[in-house]
Amino acid sequence: MSRTRLRIAGTLVAVLVAAGVATGPAAQAHGRQPTLAELAQRHGRYFGSATDNPELTDTAYTKLLGTEFDMITPGNGMKWYATEPQQGVFDWTNGDQIVNLARENHQRVRAHTLVWHSQLPDWLTARDWTATELRAVLKKHIQTEVRHYRGKVYSWDVVNEAFNEDGSYRETLWYKTLGPGYIADALRWAHQADPHARLYLNDYNIEGLGAKSDAYYALAQQLKAEHVPLDGIGFQAHLALQYGYPATLEDNLRRFSRLGLDTALTEVDVRMQLPATDEKLAEQATWYADLTKACLAVRRCVGITVWDYTDKYSWIPAFFPGEGAALPWDEQLAPKPAYVALRSALGYTG
């Protein structure tokens, strides 16, 4: 699609959204445009967004969140610092708020995340643990949280970001104290607590074939051989225009599918060096379309989640100074060319 056509289409969609035409789960029944979720459902996929508790007071934001998507991921509300701020003292406030909102909107939840090296509470990181002690702490945390949300979530990102770029294990608290077996243990404990939730390993920079994705492939083979309850691999897909598109994404998704695993694009955003230009927004739109087409081409790629849907609440500017404009809606909640490209990739021809 040319830049001119993308700009025209983006303007048209903005007008339709402002008029209330392009939103709503019953869009087709009322002669309105189908949502991203409805378009994805035609292919047997979901289309989701992450969200976070502070932004849920923004009613214009929550209206789009509740209508355009059918899968929600809590960005921070289920992480360890939020759910077990003191040892043995659990707080479900933030996670419950998002789960309840999703249920009100007839959406499912990708729960995120049980085991990570980041955003851990001080009581966990400020002391040394024996392997026996830490193993007990980890098991209790996983099983307590998974049981709390049993029957309320579609899946769990059980272990997040376990490998370095070169394919070696990341030197986390868990790895250094428990060894690589903590991953299999975490999956087993989560499955015991909720046998029906889909269990994922999740990471960034594994979209293309390479050392890091090879490490996950080898681990997945091993876990499957040992009958560990692993259901899928999450490809975060935090991409940046200046580093190039992961051209081997479809092949990579396919090889994990051949292991009998689901795959999903779990935290998608496509950032750029600011200022945003028509050319960069057009390239970004093409990337969003290509990501979507890659998922649709692989039967066991089950869905796509953007890491929040609007630049208004993107994490990018705070972590990558001088970069941003990474999401399909801008800071005013107006759809960008990427939104139009997503709809086209999902087969919309209106």
Side-chain angles (χ1 to χ4, degrees), residues 13 17 22-25 27-28 32-49 64-65 67-71 288-289 292 296 303-306 308-310 327-329 335-348:
V13 172
V17 170
T23 60
Q28 289 172 280
R32 294 175 290 172
Q33 286 190 357
T35 64
L36 290 177
E38 289 167 339
L39 291 170
Q41 287 164 12
R42 296 177 184 178
H43 302 276
R45 310 301 200 276
Y46 64 78
F47 205 101
S49 176
L64 267 174
L65 180 72
T67 55
E68 192 75 39
F69 308 98
D70 59 351
M71 187 75 75
Y288 269 105
T292 302
L296 296 181
I304 299 166
T305 297
V306 290
D308 223 319
Y309 69 86
T310 166
L327 293 160
W329 279 260
K336 293 156 62 176
Y339 174 73
V340 181
L342 284 169
R343 296 174 65 79
S344 178
L346 290 167
Y348 185 68

Side-chain angles (χ1 to χ4, degrees), residues 75-93:
N76 290 294
M78 292 184 177
K79 291 174 180 174
W80 201 312
Y81 82 98
T83 55
E84 194 179 357
Q86 302 175 55
Q87 185 172 3
V89 179
F90 291 86
D91 184 351
W92 312 116
T93 305

